[in-house]
Amino acid sequence: MTFIETVRLNDGTLMPRLGMGTWYLGEGRRSARTEIAALRAGLDAGVRLIDTAEMYGDGRAESLVGEAIDGYDRERLFLVSKVYPHNAGRGKLRRSLEASLRRLGVDYLDMYLLHWRGSIPLAETVDCMEAAKADGLIANWGVSNFDTVDMKELFRVPGGDRCAVNQDLYHLASRGVEYDLLPWMHDHGVPMMAYCPLAQAGSLRRGLVGNAAVRKVAAAHGATPMQILLAFVLRRDDMIAIPRSGTAEHVLANWAARDITLTDDDLAALDDAFPAPTSKEPLDME
Ligand SMILES: NC(=O)c1ccc[n+]([C@@H]2O[C@H](COP(=O)([O-])OP(=O)(O)OC[C@H]3O[C@@H](n4cnc5c(N)ncnc54)[C@H](OP(=O)(O)O)[C@@H]3O)[C@@H](O)[C@H]2O)c1
């Protein structure tokens, strides 16, 4: 089956389904040159979506992304950033947004997310997001780390139903969102952006990468376990994934995971090893 490259947002915008995360980039784990080369390898291969946040390295990830995208066609890119909860109110949100735009070297974001819920009322954040949209500084806005109860509350706020995406932790070994959040989001036309789709290279769940079922499915596809984790998340066509890598080799391996279609037998084996939830579970977060 051919990979479905985009998902349609509630305003009709097509958002790429596979992008690049940037947490910990720009923080010296590798040289800036290597990390910029990794992001550019992705862009050159066809990746259009980049996820970042004002929080990441106190803006250093956004600055690194700004360097990486310099010279690329802005219109082809889909840039997502996030505002700290304590900045998601009147006056402050605009300042945060303008600082993110400056670091990224662009004049609008495709998507701006509330990073997680804080004490500023949702209605105020929605107003600020809508004002930024009206002024052309963002094309869309969404939320992150919202569970079902939060989404329902958001949708009761005036304009809250314009929320375009919800970004939550989701990977093969953390499937709690499948119980009632994903069905609710599906019914309301809100796609999920899956963060930590690789369970941070497996470190979030011991035994995940070495699991016999994961390894067997990987071998059957001539793929790596990491690519199978990604293919698992992307099996749903209302799911967006933003794996992060600081190396070109891994960025390209992740991009190539679009070519993997898991069979019913693969999915049954993965389900056996990492069952879907049968009751409500607390939202997993990083
Ligand atoms: N909204 C939120 O609250 C929130 C929270 C967490 C993350 N996020 C976003 O989601 C993105 C992804 O999550 P994440 O960065 O925490 O974790 P992740 O993408 O699940 O895993 C990243 C780790 O996997 C390794 N890796 C990547 N591709 C690989 C491959 N093909 N083979 C082997 N190893 C590979 C990376 O190392 P190498 O650099 O060596 O490849 C890195 O150690 C973040 O970067 C961020 O943009 C959002």
Side-chain angles (χ1 to χ4, degrees):
M1 220 174 60
T2 333
F3 180 74
I4 299 170
E5 300 282 353
T6 55
V7 61
R8 193 172 289 280
L9 304 178
N10 52 19
D11 72 339
T13 300
L14 293 176
M15 177 167 178
R17 291 183 56 226
L18 179 57
M20 300 186 283
T22 62
W23 198 14
Y24 296 120
L25 297 190
E27 297 189 40
R29 291 190 167 195
R30 292 191 175 92
S31 70
R33 217 172 116 228
T34 302
E35 293 180 343
I36 288 170
L39 292 173
R40 288 194 172 158
L43 296 174
D44 292 339
V47 183
R48 297 169 46 219
L49 162 63
I50 301 181
D51 177 84
T52 189
E54 65 172 338
M55 184 190 98
Y56 300 161
D58 283 329
R60 289 198 295 281
E62 288 180 328
S63 299
L64 187 98
V65 172
E67 280 192 64
I69 63 174
D70 189 28
Y72 286 81
D73 178 4
R74 169 68 187 95
E75 292 308 306
R76 258 190 61 74
L77 300 174
F78 196 105
L79 298 177
V80 181
S81 194
K82 313 183 195 79
V83 59
Y84 268 125
H86 59 264
N87 286 337
R90 231 155 256 128
K92 289 185 164 179
L93 182 137
R94 190 59 71 102
R95 266 205 301 279
S96 280
L97 174 55
E98 285 171 352
S100 288
L101 293 173
R102 257 195 315 277
R103 286 188 290 264
L104 287 162
V106 296
D107 51 16
Y108 71 95
L109 291 177
D110 295 279
M111 182 75 72
Y112 199 35
L113 307 180
L114 169 62
H115 208 149
W116 64 89
R117 272 195 86 163
S119 53
I120 292 175
L122 290 176
E124 184 175 335
T125 302
V126 170
D127 276 354
C128 296
M129 291 288 195
E130 284 295 324
K133 207 161 96 174
D135 290 344
L137 298 181
I138 62 176
N140 264 296
W141 61 268
V143 294
S144 179
N145 295 300
F146 270 43
D147 203 347
T148 319
V149 65
D150 306 303
M151 290 305 294
K152 287 181 177 167
E153 191 180 327
L154 176 63
F155 267 55
R156 283 196 297 269
V157 163
D161 59 355
R162 300 206 189 103
C163 168
V165 296
N166 177 23
Q167 182 177 123
D168 279 348
L169 185 150
Y170 181 54
H171 58 75
L172 175 62
S174 181
R175 301 180 59 178
V177 297
E178 288 178 31
Y179 185 69
D180 66 354
L181 179 58
L182 280 177
W184 188 94
M185 287 171 58
H186 187 80
D187 288 349
H188 292 79
V190 182
M192 178 172 283
M193 288 183 77
Y195 76 69
C196 300
L198 307 176
Q200 293 190 339
S203 64
L204 296 180
R205 187 63 61 95
R206 189 186 301 235
L208 172 60
V209 176
N211 178 269
V214 173
R215 293 207 159 256
K216 197 167 161 209
V217 172
H221 288 272
T224 66
M226 229 54 84
Q227 289 176 309
I228 297 305
L229 295 188
L230 212 43
F232 174 80
V233 166
L234 291 168
R235 77 197 184 288
R236 295 178 58 116
D237 55 21
D238 59 352
M239 189 66 73
I240 297 150
I242 44 167
R244 172 250 319 177
S245 175
T247 76
E249 183 195 348
H250 288 168
V251 164
L252 295 177
N254 295 340
W255 188 237
R258 286 152 57 257
D259 295 333
I260 302 170
T261 305
L262 299 175
T263 65
D264 290 345
D265 285 349
D266 295 335
L267 289 171
L270 296 174
D271 264 339
D272 262 359
F274 298 97
T278 52
S279 60
K280 181 71 184 165
E281 295 174 7
L283 188 65
D284 212 353
M285 291 185 203
E286 254 311 294

